Amino acid sequence: MADGEPRRVVLLGPPNSGKGTQAAFLAERLGVPHVSTGDMLREACEAGTELGERVKGLMADGLLVDDDTMADLVRERLGRQDALAGFLLDGYPRTLRQVRDLETLLSEVEGQDDPDAVVLIDVPEDELVRRGLARGREDDTAEVIRKRIQVYREQTEPLVEYFDSRDGNSELLHRVDGNRPIEAVTGRIFATLGLESGV
Ligand code: AMP
């Protein structure tokens, strides 16, 4: 991480790892917008836009939206004024192609392709399923929960290895144990990023 507080942060974690909750706390603490691609897509579905119509079936099945669509969405969002000084990305990137797309985007803006920090929230699979069922959203059947986790393992988990082995940037990836109470996880995230604790 460069000197000072990170400004361009990626939060990685499996479905039901508490990523959205922690993303909101961290974005607030850093004073940067919380950019959740899942929320953006859900809003598009609710608004019945062309994008929403196109992605709602995939989302309901726990599958990923295609990389080109996501690249357009993120490019537009990160280009807005409020994201110029930094952002907290929640739910993006989710594939290696998306990592490349993000690197391209970042290097165009600031000439540095890595984000400042990547935080991984680690939670065992049994706990993810238990939490998913406990949330009881109507679309969260055990089958869809397991599908989302499988998609994460296959398409997103390789990013952990990738960020961990970025040449010359051994401090890029920060792993945090997510199998703990919410405040404890927040504390660990703030600590690993060198931020004062407290929400
Ligand atoms: P989330 O709230 O981050 O779990 O996202 C909900 C759903 O939106 C996912 O299951 C995907 O269908 C879709 N989605 C969100 N972000 C992405 C992404 N970066 N790439 C592809 N699909 C995404």
Side-chain angles (χ1 to χ4, degrees):
M1 203 188 324
D3 288 347
E5 295 188 352
R7 298 178 302 107
R8 307 190 303 181
V9 179
V10 169
L11 200 52
L12 275 183
N16 296 313
S17 59
K19 188 164 54 69
T21 303
Q22 299 298 340
F25 290 151
L26 184 55
E28 161 105 43
R29 169 63 184 79
L30 293 173
V32 298
H34 173 194
V35 177
S36 159
T37 48
D39 284 351
M40 291 163 74
L41 293 172
R42 276 184 288 275
E43 278 162 25
C45 292
E46 273 157 35
T49 63
E50 180 271 326
L51 171 66
E53 292 302 312
R54 196 149 47 82
V55 303
K56 69 181 181 194
L58 288 169
M59 292 178 71
D61 290 342
L63 300 173
L64 295 186
V65 175
D66 70 278
D67 293 332
D68 286 329
T69 298
M70 296 310 300
D72 289 345
L73 194 69
V74 169
R75 176 175 288 273
E76 191 278 324
R77 180 64 189 89
L78 296 189
R80 284 193 224 157
Q81 191 65 32
D82 68 336
L84 293 182
F87 49 78
L88 192 285
L89 266 179
D90 164 11
Y92 190 90
R94 258 181 161 93
T95 67
L96 285 168
R97 234 297 301 281
Q98 294 182 9
V99 174
R100 302 282 191 296
D101 291 339
L102 179 63
E103 287 173 351
T104 303
L105 186 61
L106 296 184
S107 62
E108 284 169 13
V109 179
E110 279 192 41
Q112 183 208 321
D113 55 4
D114 280 334
D116 297 335
V118 177
V119 178
L120 169 68
I121 304 182
D122 232 350
V123 178
E125 181 148 342
D126 288 355
E127 174 65 12
L128 297 174
V129 175
R130 194 192 65 70
R131 289 186 190 180
L133 291 173
R135 264 166 69 169
R137 286 207 320 233
E138 59 166 288
D139 55 335
D140 282 359
T141 61
E143 192 192 346
V144 173
I145 293 166
R146 289 205 183 275
K147 184 74 200 168
R148 287 207 184 94
I149 295 171
Q150 184 197 345
V151 167
Y152 175 82
R153 298 277 177 242
E154 290 175 5
Q155 308 210 45
T156 308
E157 204 157 49
L159 276 57
V160 174
E161 173 79 8
Y162 174 81
F163 284 123
D164 208 17
S165 61
R166 275 299 270 158
D167 286 349
N169 201 349
S170 59
E171 292 179 10
L172 183 58
L173 182 73
H174 300 258
R175 291 174 196 262
V176 171
D177 176 7
N179 196 15
R180 298 166 56 81
I182 291 175
E183 317 78 66
V185 178
T186 307
R188 294 282 176 90
I189 293 174
F190 286 12
T192 190
L193 294 177
L195 306 170
E196 283 169 36
S197 67
V199 178

